[in-house]
Amino acid sequence: MTGPAVTGAEAHSAAAHGVSIVGAGRMAEAHARAWSALGIPVLSVVSPRRRPSLAAAPDARWATTLDDALADPAVTIVSVCTPTPTHADLAIRALASGRNVLLEKPIALTLDDALAVQEAASRASGVLMVAHVVRFFPAYAALAGRIAAGGVGTVRALRATRMTSSPHRPEWMADEERSGGLVVDLAIHDFDQANLHLGTPLAVTAVRSPGGYGAPVSTTIEYAGGGIATVLTVGDLPEGFAFSTSLDIVGTDGVDALLPADGEPFVAQAAYFLDCVRAGVAPDRCPTSAAVDALRVALAARESLRASTRVVL
């Protein structure tokens, strides 16, 4: 992945920040590439059981604990890229140390933990942003801009799909008690988009085709004001199937949908977060409250699947 060229002035400003990445998997590599593209050094990678090997951070020190990484005063930013059950503890500890935290989605595995992270961020000197990276995908960002400008009038309905094959899925992800299942781990991207465009969710109904993790799930979300969203999520397609998404929005004045657009979403996400860190401001484009609300919908969808019922929020 290549990023924008870094100017001399930008390099000087970048030198004021250093990153520790917690985790050593696919998302950690994505964060490392983004920070590298922005000229921000990855000083350490936290991995308790094995020496990390992130191609974009070849000079990073191996730390076996978060405390070890935080002992370095040059670390001003922590990218948390670990399995979901660890998110709350790691984010809260990093925020308490005065660091800025870019926390992979979902914000947490339970609503209580999500609210604890939000509360910790409200007291912290650093900035927290939950990495709902879909908000930074060029096509999604462009569509959001058109909708915010009134392109379809008042939004009445939304239809989203997210379909993938995952032949090399980590073991923890297939365990719903650790990942939250498909609706918490994958569909949450589209729940966040639905909330962004339709507002306050009121009730959730989800149904699933037979099968394990990855079997198709259709979720319907009802919104204050009468809006409705339908989200289809599939995670068990055959190996080699090309990942695909769609988003269609219906308003009082017409319809709109995703259009092809180029860009590097992880770089755009990191750049926006870095701007917030430098300015010492909350990330209005990706607020923590939105991450909590997306989790609230995802957990309701999981409850609906388990109880075969409509869940009122």
Side-chain angles (χ1 to χ4, degrees):
M1 178 181 290
T2 59
V6 179
T7 67
E10 289 169 335
H12 177 74
S13 179
H17 291 285
V19 175
S20 180
I21 296 177
V22 189
R26 181 173 58 87
M27 295 312 303
E29 185 65 55
H31 281 231
R33 289 196 302 266
W35 291 123
S36 176
L38 295 173
I40 306 296
V42 177
L43 302 176
S44 59
V45 180
V46 180
S47 179
R49 289 178 294 277
R50 62 182 177 89
R51 179 178 291 277
S53 179
L54 301 183
D59 300 322
R61 179 175 67 89
W62 178 23
T64 57
T65 67
L66 176 63
D67 288 342
D68 183 10
L70 296 179
D72 182 355
V75 171
T76 61
I77 295 171
V78 176
S79 274
V80 177
C81 305
T82 54
T84 306
T86 66
H87 284 187
D89 176 66
L90 292 170
I92 290 170
R93 288 166 56 198
L95 288 166
S97 76
R99 271 41 177 223
N100 305 284
V101 178
L102 182 60
L103 173 63
E104 261 305 317
K105 65 80 204 166
I107 183 172
L109 191 57
T110 70
L111 188 57
D112 283 347
D113 279 351
L115 293 173
V117 173
Q118 185 177 35
E119 173 62 22
S122 73
R123 301 191 309 266
S125 59
V127 174
L128 168 72
M129 189 172 89
V130 181
H132 274 278
V133 72
V134 167
R135 290 188 177 221
F136 296 89
F137 272 72
Y140 283 86
L143 176 59
R146 296 194 300 271
I147 299 303
V152 299
T154 301
V155 177
R156 299 185 297 167
L158 177 150
R159 179 178 62 192
T161 65
R162 188 165 302 269
M163 297 186 287
T164 185
S165 62
S166 298
H168 307 297
R169 183 184 302 117
E171 181 180 350
W172 71 268
M173 194 176 292
D175 181 352
E176 289 203 5
E177 296 306 314
R178 299 170 67 192
S179 70
L182 191 72
V183 290
V184 174
D185 184 68
L186 187 62
I188 197 167
H189 286 300
D190 299 304
F191 299 155
D192 181 53
Q193 287 292 306
N195 292 347
L196 174 65
H197 294 294
L198 284 164
T200 303
L202 299 180
V204 178
T205 306
V207 295
R208 175 167 48 199
S209 296
Y213 180 99
V217 175
S218 178
T219 306
T220 300
I221 311 163
E222 302 164 49
Y223 285 86
I228 191 166
T230 58
V231 175
L232 175 64
T233 314
V234 185
D236 65 353
L237 290 168
E239 183 171 1
F241 178 86
F243 173 77
S244 69
T245 67
S246 68
L247 182 62
D248 299 283
I249 296 178
V250 180
T252 53
D253 297 338
V255 300
D256 204 344
L258 298 177
L259 298 173
D262 294 328
E264 299 287 0
F266 286 96
V267 175
Q269 174 180 258
Y272 173 77
F273 175 65
L274 187 60
D275 285 344
C276 293
V277 168
R278 288 170 172 160
V281 298
D284 290 342
R285 183 174 172 183
C286 210
T288 304
S289 58
V292 174
D293 286 342
L295 179 64
R296 198 186 307 272
V297 171
L299 293 175
R302 187 174 70 169
E303 181 182 349
S304 177
L305 289 174
R306 290 175 170 177
S308 299
T309 188
R310 174 175 176 268
V311 176
V312 177
L313 299 174

